[in-house]
Amino acid sequence: MNHFRNLDLNLLVYLDALLREQNVTRAAEQLNITQPAMSNGLKRLRAILNDPILVRTSDGMVATERALAMQSQVQKILYAVEEVIQPTRTFTAETSDRVFRIMISDYAASTLMSPLLKALREHAPHVTIDLMTPSDVSFHDVENGKVDIAINRFDDLPQSFHQKLLWRDDFTCLVQKDHPILANYNLKNYLDAQHCWVSKTGFGVGIGMTPDAVQKLGWVDEALAKIGKQRRIRVFTRNYHVAMHLTLEGLIATLPTRAAKLYENHPEMVLREPPFAIPPIDLQMIWSPLLQHDEGHKWFRQLVAEVAEDL
């Protein structure tokens, strides 16, 4: 207990930032403190824990085994403290003027936002939505509660995040109605045609794509690679509506079905099942433990889930 009395709770905040960034300068920037202050905090942590915490290597600073083992527990402690001291806010949907910030992929925004806005007009007419792309935010922003929810397909998530499956979607090909492939729609002609690639998942700024980088191309091309095939990609885009419109230029867009169906009544486009098997994808909603018990947040994510279920 005497050892515990010597521990400044701020040091746990410092430790959390240091283990996230594994860099003293970036950790200081994240907490908006000076680099010397963070260095002093690291020094105090090393003395209390009798562990170097971060060790300099040829690849930069690397967390020690003990520090990494502590990371999830430190986060749980900080989340618990935040929950205790967080002021209780009442929420009345009909009168609230709250702003909800959503990191959302283009695919999810295209399919989900219109019915969500209709529901908000009915139940919470003064609520504002701030939409951000995956390139706008980081996992840190979600963990810290700066972003209310993130809606996307995620391969790996921090264990601390809460999550809910919104829907599972399969794939559909969007094709110009006069495209020659429709006269004999099969895998060979699909592969011989020209395609528009579209995808944007996860967080962070995207990188340039090349047709040969199959391991980075995602769902459709991974499915083709498993049967030893490769399509001819002529355009890479991160915008689903751009991909859909480019079908009018003779490109084939193979998209999640809910996105493709936005154009099922377009007079110049037709929808076809892919001529090969593509595993379905899951669309998830994730949020920070800091917001788990916030009344307004609980109401909003329940609304999102209900709208998604009705689609």
Side-chain angles (χ1 to χ4, degrees):
M1 185 62 70
N2 288 334
H3 189 65
F4 180 77
R5 290 195 185 103
N6 294 329
L7 179 61
D8 179 353
L9 186 59
N10 282 326
L11 290 179
L12 291 184
V13 179
Y14 290 7
L15 179 59
D16 180 50
L18 287 165
L19 294 179
R20 290 175 192 269
E21 300 296 338
Q22 300 200 22
N23 180 284
V24 173
T25 301
R26 290 200 302 269
E29 290 173 351
Q30 185 186 127
L31 298 181
N32 197 28
I33 63 174
T34 64
Q35 192 271 346
M38 181 59 76
S39 295
N40 182 59
L42 177 58
K43 182 179 179 180
R44 293 171 62 193
L45 283 165
R46 284 169 168 168
I48 292 171
L49 299 176
N50 193 27
D51 185 88
I53 300 174
L54 292 178
V55 178
R56 189 174 300 280
T57 71
S58 58
D59 295 324
M61 299 293 279
V62 176
T64 64
E65 184 175 345
R66 184 186 179 193
L68 289 175
M70 294 174 60
Q71 187 171 18
S72 64
Q73 291 299 319
V74 169
Q75 289 178 343
K76 289 178 182 178
I77 292 169
L78 293 176
Y79 291 145
V81 171
E82 181 73 21
E83 185 177 328
V84 168
I85 65 175
Q86 198 173 55
T88 301
R89 292 192 297 172
T90 58
F91 180 82
T92 304
E94 293 81 4
T95 58
S96 175
D97 60 357
R98 185 163 169 177
V99 176
F100 288 100
R101 293 181 172 82
I102 309 175
M103 190 294 291
I104 189 167
S105 65
D106 180 57
Y107 152 58
S110 299
T111 52
L112 183 62
M113 286 313 303
S114 180
L116 179 59
L117 286 176
K118 290 178 182 177
L120 285 172
R121 279 198 295 268
E122 179 180 354
H123 300 291
H126 306 294
V127 161
T128 299
I129 301 296
D130 181 9
L131 299 181
M132 292 171 282
T133 71
S135 297
D136 293 331
V137 301
S138 68
F139 275 132
H140 296 337
D141 296 323
V142 180
E143 282 186 308
N144 295 335
K146 295 178 181 177
V147 176
D148 288 284
I149 59 175
I151 301 175
N152 207 340
R153 174 185 180 268
F154 303 102
D155 292 323
D156 298 300
L157 289 172
Q159 292 183 351
S160 60
F161 281 10
H162 293 278
Q163 59 183 289
K164 180 177 179 58
L165 176 67
L166 292 182
W167 66 58
R168 181 162 290 168
D169 205 357
D170 53 16
F171 284 82
T172 294
C173 295
L174 196 60
V175 188
Q176 185 183 27
K177 73 169 187 177
D178 296 326
H179 198 292
I181 194 177
L182 295 175
N184 189 13
Y185 185 75
N186 56 36
L187 178 58
K188 179 183 182 302
N189 290 335
Y190 175 93
L191 297 175
D192 289 341
Q194 297 189 359
H195 295 263
C196 181
W197 175 98
V198 58
S199 181
K200 185 60 181 174
T201 62
F203 290 84
V205 178
I207 59 173
M209 304 298 298
T210 61
D212 295 328
V214 174
Q215 70 278 11
K216 297 180 180 179
L217 293 181
W219 317 306
V220 176
D221 298 279
E222 288 175 1
L224 282 172
K226 287 180 179 179
I227 60 174
K229 305 296 183 181
Q230 186 174 358
R231 59 178 174 165
R232 298 167 62 193
I233 299 173
R234 288 294 171 263
V235 174
F236 291 95
T237 179
R238 281 75 177 167
N239 187 293
Y240 278 81
H241 284 289
V242 169
M244 296 174 201
H245 282 295
L246 286 177
T247 62
L248 298 176
E249 301 301 323
L251 301 182
I252 296 175
T254 305
L255 311 165
T257 297
R258 280 178 173 80
K261 282 188 173 180
L262 295 174
Y263 286 78
E264 63 183 341
N265 296 321
H266 194 289
E268 299 299 321
M269 300 181 191
V270 296
L271 278 62
R272 291 288 185 272
E273 289 187 14
F276 59 100
I278 307 174
I281 60 170
D282 292 340
L283 187 74
Q284 295 167 284
M285 173 171 63
I286 65 172
W287 62 94
S288 168
L290 297 177
L291 297 170
Q292 170 70 2
H293 301 291
D294 180 279
E295 290 301 319
H297 196 273
K298 288 166 63 176
W299 175 87
F300 182 67
R301 63 180 186 258
Q302 179 63 32
L303 181 67
V304 172
E306 290 175 356
V307 169
E309 187 176 358
D310 289 340
L311 288 178

